[in-house]
Amino acid sequence: PRVRRQRQMCIRDRYTPTIKEIESAKEILNAYEDALKNASGVTSLNGKMIDKPMVTRAMSILSYAKAAGMEV
């Protein structure tokens, strides 16, 4: 059991996003939500196009953060 717990902690630490990644993911999701409100499926943030794959990645980052017990 102890080895299993250590392995789980190692995996959790490896996939825990940084604060910077979490903030970026939040910005991406906010920009995308605004675009959807304006009936647009694509928008930009800081000069970069935000499309569905980036939104999916941002959602994954926030999901990993929540699973690691971080406040999102």
Side-chain angles (χ1 to χ4, degrees):
R2 180 180 174 156
V3 173
R4 184 177 181 184
R5 190 175 329 131
Q6 288 175 338
R7 185 174 42 205
Q8 287 173 339
M9 289 175 63
C10 180
I11 291 170
R12 185 194 69 206
D13 291 343
R14 175 179 266 172
Y15 294 108
T16 301
T18 65
I19 300 294
K20 186 176 179 180
E21 289 172 323
I22 293 169
E23 292 302 320
S24 177
K26 287 180 182 179
E27 288 178 3
I28 289 169
L29 291 178
N30 287 335
Y32 191 70
E33 287 174 7
D34 288 344
L36 291 178
K37 288 177 187 175
N38 295 322
S40 175
V42 179
T43 189
S44 65
L45 178 67
N46 300 325
K48 294 182 180 179
M49 185 176 80
I50 304 298
D51 57 4
K52 190 64 176 170
M54 287 187 75
V55 171
T56 301
R57 177 70 180 137
M59 290 170 43
S60 294
I61 288 170
L62 295 182
S63 179
Y64 286 136
K66 286 180 186 176
M70 299 176 79
E71 192 172 317
V72 177

